[in-house]
């Protein structure tokens, strides 16, 4: 199939979906739309992809998403397991102290093959996603700043700083916590400051003779819970993410190269001569905020444009890309398969409560000093227990599962259940019962033997890996599919 992906807007270019912001959220959405053959344009205000680590943890549920996209092996190769925490003690901070795991490690199972978070800097993850998008025929249009938009009943017209315009049937704002698109459509953010004290985050390259190594996540802490941490990043020897937390809420972290080096040397025994490069730096005050709604007409919010998290627990990036994963297939059903526009309302219905819950959890972790030794939230941070039970697209139950649950993996004689789910289609799994005849390219049907993780019954797995419909027989399945625009089997 030849993909119809808009790459270079002209004076009045048109596309089905305009995605604003080429971070992980925008890239995942563009990939999902490209593999579905949906014309889309991904634009980025900057002249390149974000160069720093910022978000650096990919949780198990996101690894399952990447498995579905055919990307998990590439991402696993680009990342590494999280190292153990190591405290440094003594008057000069050069004495090795105790070690511990920030989050208790889990053991992979048949149902949960990806048990632990993967350490990978945001920029490195973006490189993998960008390469895959290009392989699908897509691209990012850099240096494209959206300066205004107008929408009507049929679409959205976005104006760019260089005078060009793009007309799209839908626009997705994935342009971060300071989203210009969100402000343009008048959607408010409601939240709170988690901690008034500022933090500095930077990526630094250190010389090989430095005191620290890449086997641990290094911690220097003061009695007032300020201090510094250095986390080794995969991809380049000597590359670390530095986080400095300040005591004074009125402090103004210096993000210049010299300032970052000064903060590093002030909080650790590392010397200025052992810093070869400051790759990227930023300062922020941890905040939790949630958009009051995720949709304004034909404009939808995703990722940090819709929710802002504390870095504790590594939840922001993961919640964001799963927004894209939820939204992509719904846009495709509306744009290509004739599903009602109301299907897009279920995006907010499903994802906003998830974001609210995750925001509460990450805020709690931040306030209880997660970096110290708290690991009580291991199950929550992995995001494998999140689902859509009771939601607008969850119908029925069977065996061991209820509609809205995550579809578990499991062994098959010639592979895994995830192998059957991989791709942009719906999947009907029949465990220990005959499957109905469905002549639809959108639904792949498989009759399987009994498996305890599912139990006996029929399970319709949505393209995003959640069970949409379940039953002991096929009663009601046709109506459910028709409501989602899957009508070619009727």
């Amino acid at each position: 199939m030849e993909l119809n992906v808009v790459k270079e807007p002209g004076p009045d270019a048109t596309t089905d979906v305009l995605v604003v912001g080429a971070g992980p959220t925008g890239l995942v959405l563009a990939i999902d739309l490209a593999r579905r053959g949906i014309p889309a344009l991904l634009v980025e205000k900057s002249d390149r992809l974000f160069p720093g680590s910022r978000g650096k943890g990919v949780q198990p549920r996101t690894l399952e998403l990447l498995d579905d996209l055919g990307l998990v092996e590439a991402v696993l190769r680009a990342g590494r397991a999280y190292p153990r925490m190591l405290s440094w003690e003594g008057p000069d901070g050069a004495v090795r102290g105790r070690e511990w795991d920030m989050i208790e490690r889990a053991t992979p199972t048949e149902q949960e093959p990806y048990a632990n978070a993967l350490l990978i800097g945001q920029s490195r993850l973006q490189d993998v996603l960008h390469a895959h998008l290009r392989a699908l025929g897509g691209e990012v249009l850099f240096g494209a700043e959206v300066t205004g938009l107008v929408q009507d009943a049929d679409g959205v017209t976005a104006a760019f700083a260089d005078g060009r315009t793009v007309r799209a049937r839908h626009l997705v704002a994935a342009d971060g916590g300071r989203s210009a698109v969100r402000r343009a459509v008048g959607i408010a953010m409601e939240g709170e400051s988690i901690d008034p004290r500022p933090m500095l985050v930077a990526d630094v390259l250190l010389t090989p003779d430095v005191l620290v190594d890449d086997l641990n996540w290094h911690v220097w802490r003061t009695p007032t819970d300020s201090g510094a941490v250095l986390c080794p990043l995969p991809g380049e020897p000597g590359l670390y993410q530095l986080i400095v937390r300040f005591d004074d809420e009125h402090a103004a972290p210096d993000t210049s190269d010299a300032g970052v080096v000064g903060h590093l040397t002030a909080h650790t025994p590392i010397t200025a001569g052992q810093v070869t490069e400051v790759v990227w730096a930023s300062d922020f005050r941890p905040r939790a905020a949630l958009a009051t709604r995720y949709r304004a007409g034909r404009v939808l919010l995703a990722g940090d444009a819709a929710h802002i998290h504390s870095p504790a627990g590594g939840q922001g990036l993961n919640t964001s890309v799963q927004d894209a994963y939820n939204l992509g297939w719904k846009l495709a059903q509306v744009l290509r398969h004739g599903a009602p526009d109301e299907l897009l309302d279920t995006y907010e219905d499903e994802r906003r409560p998830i974001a609210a819950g995750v925001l509460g959890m990450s805020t709690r972790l931040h306030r209880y000093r997660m970096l110290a030794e708290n690991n009580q939230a291991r199950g929550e941070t992995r995001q494998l227990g999140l689902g859509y039970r009771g939601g607008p697209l969850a119908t029925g139950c069977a065996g061991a599962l209820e509609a809205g649950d995550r579809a578990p993996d499991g062994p098959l004689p010639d592979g895994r259940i995830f192998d059957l789910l991989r791709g942009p289609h719906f999947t009907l799994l029949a465990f220990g019962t005959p499957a109905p005849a469905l002549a639809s390219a959108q639904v792949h049907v498989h009759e399987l033997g009994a498996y305890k993780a599912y139990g006996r019954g029929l399970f319709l797995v949505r393209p995003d890996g959640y069970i949409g419909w379940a039953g002991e027989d096929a009663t009601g399945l046709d109506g459910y599919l028709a409501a989602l625009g899957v009508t070619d089997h009727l």
Side-chain angles (χ1 to χ4, degrees):
M1 177 179 64
E2 183 178 353
L3 299 176
N4 184 9
V5 181
V6 177
K7 295 183 179 181
E8 193 71 28
D12 292 295
T14 61
T15 187
D16 276 0
V17 183
L18 175 61
V19 183
V20 181
T25 307
L27 286 164
V28 166
L29 180 57
I31 288 169
D32 197 28
L33 294 173
R35 70 174 180 161
R36 297 174 186 280
I38 303 298
L41 173 64
L42 175 58
V43 299
E44 169 57 44
K45 175 181 176 180
S46 301
D47 60 1
R48 58 173 177 164
L49 296 175
F50 173 72
S53 59
R54 196 150 57 192
K56 62 180 183 299
V58 176
Q59 298 292 348
R61 180 56 188 155
T62 302
L63 290 173
E64 293 181 350
L65 175 163
L66 295 168
D67 187 320
D68 178 66
L69 293 176
L71 279 168
V72 72
E73 293 302 327
V75 171
L76 289 172
R77 286 194 300 269
R80 59 168 290 182
Y82 266 80
R84 301 194 79 205
M85 311 295 290
L86 170 65
S87 66
W88 288 88
E89 302 169 355
D92 57 356
V95 178
R96 293 177 67 95
R98 57 191 174 82
E99 294 188 18
W100 71 96
D101 285 319
M102 184 177 69
I103 298 177
E104 182 183 349
R105 298 178 194 271
T107 301
T109 66
E110 290 180 347
Q111 295 82 29
E112 299 176 353
Y114 309 109
N116 297 291
L118 181 77
L119 176 65
I120 179 172
Q122 180 174 324
S123 61
R124 191 162 169 82
L125 174 63
Q126 288 174 167
D127 287 342
V128 176
L129 295 172
H130 188 206
H132 192 64
L133 176 62
R134 297 185 71 179
L136 291 172
E139 190 47 277
V140 179
L141 180 65
F142 292 104
E145 180 182 1
V146 175
T147 56
L149 59 89
V150 177
Q151 59 174 319
D152 52 42
D154 299 317
V156 183
T157 301
F160 289 79
D162 61 4
R164 292 180 292 183
T165 62
V166 173
R167 177 73 173 173
R169 295 173 67 183
H170 295 280
L171 184 151
V172 179
D175 53 340
R178 297 183 176 90
S179 172
V181 174
R182 184 188 65 233
R183 294 195 300 270
V185 296
I187 297 178
M189 292 284 277
E190 296 180 347
E192 60 177 327
S193 172
I194 298 173
D195 190 333
R197 295 175 296 175
M199 299 174 71
L200 170 79
V201 183
D203 292 349
V204 295
L205 276 170
L206 305 179
T207 58
D209 64 341
V210 74
L211 176 70
V212 299
D213 55 43
D214 64 358
L215 302 178
N216 291 99
W217 188 337
H218 306 275
V219 180
W220 292 267
R221 188 176 299 283
T222 71
T224 57
D225 199 28
S226 62
V229 296
L230 274 174
C231 181
L233 295 172
E236 186 172 355
L239 181 63
Y240 291 80
Q241 184 194 66
L242 168 69
I243 301 178
V244 178
R245 187 173 181 179
F246 297 84
D247 284 323
D248 182 5
E249 64 183 75
H250 301 294
D254 185 350
T255 59
S256 69
D257 289 3
V260 170
V261 173
H263 291 311
L264 175 62
T265 57
H267 289 87
T268 77
I270 296 169
T271 67
Q274 292 175 316
V275 182
T276 61
E277 184 182 354
V278 176
V279 179
W280 161 83
S282 179
D283 71 296
F284 74 103
R285 284 170 170 78
R287 183 169 178 257
L290 181 63
T292 54
R293 53 197 171 108
Y294 278 22
R295 185 180 186 188
R298 291 179 172 267
V299 176
L300 300 112
L301 309 183
D304 288 353
H307 42 79
I308 303 170
H309 302 250
S310 158
Q315 299 299 290
L317 183 152
N318 293 273
T319 305
S320 296
V321 299
Q322 288 170 45
D323 288 346
Y325 196 48
N326 181 286
L327 181 57
W329 72 269
K330 294 175 180 178
L331 283 167
Q333 291 303 117
V334 171
L335 292 170
R336 169 161 286 190
H337 300 292
D341 180 77
E342 289 75 19
L343 179 61
L344 297 180
D345 291 332
T346 70
Y347 166 64
E348 176 180 324
D349 294 337
E350 292 186 332
R351 293 305 301 169
R352 193 171 184 275
I354 293 287
V358 171
L359 281 169
M361 182 263 289
S362 60
T363 298
R364 186 175 71 251
L365 290 179
H366 188 102
R367 288 175 172 163
Y368 284 107
R369 297 175 60 189
M370 184 66 174
L371 283 179
E373 286 184 84
N374 249 321
N375 59 22
Q376 76 273 24
R378 172 177 60 85
E380 291 181 86
T381 59
R382 298 193 304 156
Q383 300 199 348
L384 291 170
L386 299 178
Y388 306 122
R389 281 191 181 190
L393 299 182
T395 300
C397 61
L401 298 172
E402 184 175 326
D405 290 347
R406 162 191 166 271
D409 196 10
L412 298 173
D414 56 352
R416 306 158 51 201
I417 291 174
F418 278 3
D419 295 335
L420 307 181
L421 306 183
R422 191 176 300 115
H425 54 270
F426 293 82
T427 309
L428 182 64
L429 301 176
F431 285 96
T433 189
L438 295 177
S440 171
Q442 290 193 66
V443 185
H444 295 189
V445 181
H446 303 277
E447 290 189 358
L448 306 169
Y451 181 49
K452 63 180 180 180
Y454 284 80
R456 179 185 174 88
L458 299 172
F459 304 88
L460 181 73
V461 183
R462 306 175 351 176
D464 58 355
Y466 291 92
I467 296 168
W469 176 96
E472 296 181 359
D473 58 42
T475 303
L477 177 59
D478 281 351
Y480 182 88
L481 288 170
L484 297 181
V486 184
T487 58
D488 55 345
H489 71 286
L490 300 177

